[in-house]
Amino acid sequence: MKCCRGLMPGNLNKEIGKFMIKQITAAALLAATSFAASAAEPRFYVGADIDTTKSHFIEDLDRETGYGAFAGFKINDKFDVEVGYRQVGKFNVFQKNDLKVNQLAVSVLGYAPVAEKTAVFGRLGYNRLEFKGNAGSENKNRALVGIGLSYEFIKQITGRVEIQRTGFSSTTVNAGVAYNF
């Protein structure tokens, strides 16, 4: 069986192993070069913002100042996916109950450029609002919508202002900055 010696099961496994190593090496090189090419454009970002919220569900509530943090992933030049946490504010309800409101949100942002480094964006998402007061706590799941303007100061730093409706009869105006990496 001299003619078939190279196709015996032991040698066949070695050949398949060599072939697989070549394929894995080629795939790793391709992935590394495509990652290096995409590294030129930042894909992930983190940021923080400060906001003011006006509640419309009780007439006499004042505006409250809050703050938040967010992180996102740029799918492409037109769309991002973002998660965020915000302390919306601490409202004094009927002069006797402090109501603290926190927000956890997941959103998709869509961008439309209006100038070289400026874009308007829209937000559509889901947010979980947590209300904590003297009488206990309650959670509400609501839609989140917003519209804003972003400006790229440098490739790594973006500023933005936005108006959001959080789904519990309130309007939030925020200003923030993001670091892109």
Side-chain angles (χ1 to χ4, degrees):
M1 280 237 210
K2 269 186 167 180
C3 66
C4 300
R5 188 176 296 172
L7 299 177
M8 296 302 287
N11 290 337
L12 187 58
N13 285 339
K14 287 180 186 175
E15 291 301 316
I16 290 174
K18 287 180 186 177
F19 178 75
M20 292 298 288
I21 289 173
K22 288 179 185 177
Q23 294 297 324
I24 291 170
T25 302
L29 288 173
L30 180 63
T33 56
S34 63
F35 177 74
S38 70
E41 290 297 321
R43 305 291 290 183
F44 292 96
Y45 60 91
V46 295
D49 57 25
I50 189 165
D51 66 68
T52 181
T53 300
K54 175 65 177 164
S55 176
H56 305 288
F57 65 95
I58 298 175
E59 285 292 320
D60 296 332
L61 292 182
D62 292 328
R63 284 195 172 275
E64 283 298 316
T65 301
Y67 54 89
F70 55 89
F73 175 75
K74 293 184 176 300
I75 297 170
N76 55 37
D77 289 344
K78 304 288 184 202
F79 294 101
D80 293 0
V81 175
E82 186 175 289
V83 296
Y85 178 81
R86 175 181 313 286
Q87 181 181 340
V88 177
K90 192 173 185 179
F91 298 91
N92 188 334
V93 182
F94 306 122
Q95 304 299 320
K96 58 183 174 184
N97 186 11
D98 286 332
L99 182 65
K100 184 177 177 183
V101 181
N102 295 319
Q103 173 192 39
L104 181 63
V106 178
S107 306
V108 174
L109 284 72
Y111 291 88
V114 294
E116 184 178 342
K117 295 183 175 192
T118 307
V120 295
F121 65 91
R123 174 186 302 271
L124 181 60
Y126 157 86
N127 69 134
R128 179 181 178 92
L129 299 163
E130 179 184 44
F131 301 90
K132 288 184 180 178
N134 297 346
S137 66
E138 184 178 351
N139 295 319
K140 299 281 186 186
N141 300 312
R142 298 282 191 257
L144 173 65
V145 295
I147 188 165
L149 184 69
S150 69
Y151 181 78
E152 182 183 280
F153 295 107
I154 60 174
K155 191 177 241 22
Q156 290 80 21
I157 306 292
T158 304
R160 66 185 190 185
V161 293
E162 181 180 9
I163 299 172
Q164 289 183 2
R165 290 295 298 225
T166 58
F168 78 105
S169 298
S170 70
T171 303
T172 299
V173 178
N174 61 55
V177 64
Y179 175 74
N180 305 292
F181 56 96

